[in-house]
Amino acid sequence: MPPLATLRAFDAAARHLNFRLAAEELNVTHGAVAQQVRALEASLGVALFEREPRGLALTPTGRSFHPQIRRAFALIAGAMAAIEPRQEHERRGVTVTVTPSFAARWLIPRLGSFSALAPDVEVRVLASEATERLGGPGLPDLAVRLSAPPFDRALEAERLLADDLFPVCSPALAATLMTPADLLTTTLLHDAHDAWPLWLELANAQAPLTVGKRFSQTALALGAALDGQGVALAPFALVADDIAQHRLIAPFGTDIRLVSERAFYLLTPKLARTRPEVALFRAWLLDESKPRPQ
């Protein structure tokens, strides 16, 4: 049987079709991955990859071999997951990395329902804009990111929520806004996505004469909107509760919306899904993202 390290290197390279990305995942050098793959090919007596100018491609043997190796690693991960809950001194946990605005405006207000569903599972939330590696030792188990396909083939990507944008503001300010033209004398609240120029063009409205306010995150712009300081753009997912409680108003309705190619996606390493607590948290996220009857 070949050394486990050679099989891990082959698996990572077969998923990424790139030695550099495989090396980053395994936290080793590019040369180490290439050497491990060559050692595996030598021990098996067959070529697993074709080295092409644009990168790697699996040979027919490599294509048939890789799914079996993936299943083998899944069995190992499942065996480990079956043992972990028996260690009573350790609490089961799941770590999810999300953007700060998604954490503040969507995830955290809903975490109480997951705690009621699974009181023995500790949830660790990492709020970060950075794209992080997932699924390895000490790394997050899942991620929610505002993104668009294609995704890494080692990840299962599922669309959670749309990112279509429309204006929202406090009820007092909404009473002064009848049409988009009324924004001409209104303060606009900008976030890092800077989508106001596109929305104004879509609505055939002029840019305001007033000086706007700029924030690094959508959650901060929405905080200012709740305080009556101006009008912000936001996806329905991040303001649904505030609209339902009449803390925020969509002054022009939601029909004039800036349709985004991006969406909030749930990203899960395929091997991580074998852990029961990860599977449970993932299923809960998908259920919470479903539209609710009005």
Side-chain angles (χ1 to χ4, degrees), residues 119-160:
D120 61 326
V121 177
E122 180 181 72
V123 179
R124 296 178 286 271
V125 179
L126 301 181
S128 171
E129 297 283 0
T131 301
E132 301 180 47
R133 292 171 53 209
L134 301 175
L139 299 176
D141 301 301
L142 316 94
V144 176
R145 285 289 178 266
L146 185 57
S147 187
F151 297 101
D152 187 325
R153 291 188 300 175
L155 302 175
E156 181 152 350
E158 292 162 290
R159 192 175 186 272
L160 282 183

Side-chain angles (χ1 to χ4, degrees), residues 209-278:
L209 301 173
T210 59
V211 177
K213 298 178 182 179
R214 294 190 174 273
F215 302 89
S216 61
Q217 297 172 7
T218 303
L220 300 178
L222 290 175
L226 285 162
D227 196 44
Q229 297 182 32
V231 185
L233 283 176
F236 185 75
L238 301 191
V239 294
D241 293 341
D242 291 303
I243 289 176
Q245 299 298 321
H246 304 288
R247 294 188 293 263
L248 287 175
I249 302 291
F252 317 119
T254 59
D255 290 337
I256 306 177
R257 62 173 63 201
L258 190 60
V259 178
S260 175
E261 295 181 356
R262 302 184 306 173
F264 292 99
Y265 279 87
L266 171 60
L267 306 176
T268 314
K270 294 177 181 178
L271 283 177
R273 290 184 53 185
T274 61
R275 289 178 51 208
E277 58 269 33
V278 174

Side-chain angles (χ1 to χ4, degrees), residues 116-213:
L117 175 68
D120 61 326
V121 177
E122 180 181 72
V123 179
R124 296 178 286 271
V125 179
L126 301 181
S128 171
E129 297 283 0
T131 301
E132 301 180 47
R133 292 171 53 209
L134 301 175
L139 299 176
D141 301 301
L142 316 94
V144 176
R145 285 289 178 266
L146 185 57
S147 187
F151 297 101
D152 187 325
R153 291 188 300 175
L155 302 175
E156 181 152 350
E158 292 162 290
R159 192 175 186 272
L160 282 183
L161 300 158
D163 185 47
D164 299 346
L165 305 175
F166 56 88
V168 293
C169 60
S170 67
L173 184 53
T176 69
L177 302 174
M178 299 297 106
T179 70
D182 294 328
L183 293 174
L184 191 64
T185 55
T186 304
T187 299
L188 298 189
L189 306 173
H190 302 261
D191 59 22
H193 303 300
D194 199 25
W196 266 116
L198 293 174
W199 189 91
L200 291 170
E201 181 181 355
L202 178 68
N204 296 314
Q206 290 182 267
L209 301 173
T210 59
V211 177
K213 298 178 182 179

Side-chain angles (χ1 to χ4, degrees), residues 2-17:
L4 186 61
T6 65
L7 296 173
R8 290 183 65 220
F10 165 71
D11 171 55
R15 285 186 281 106
H16 294 288
L17 291 179

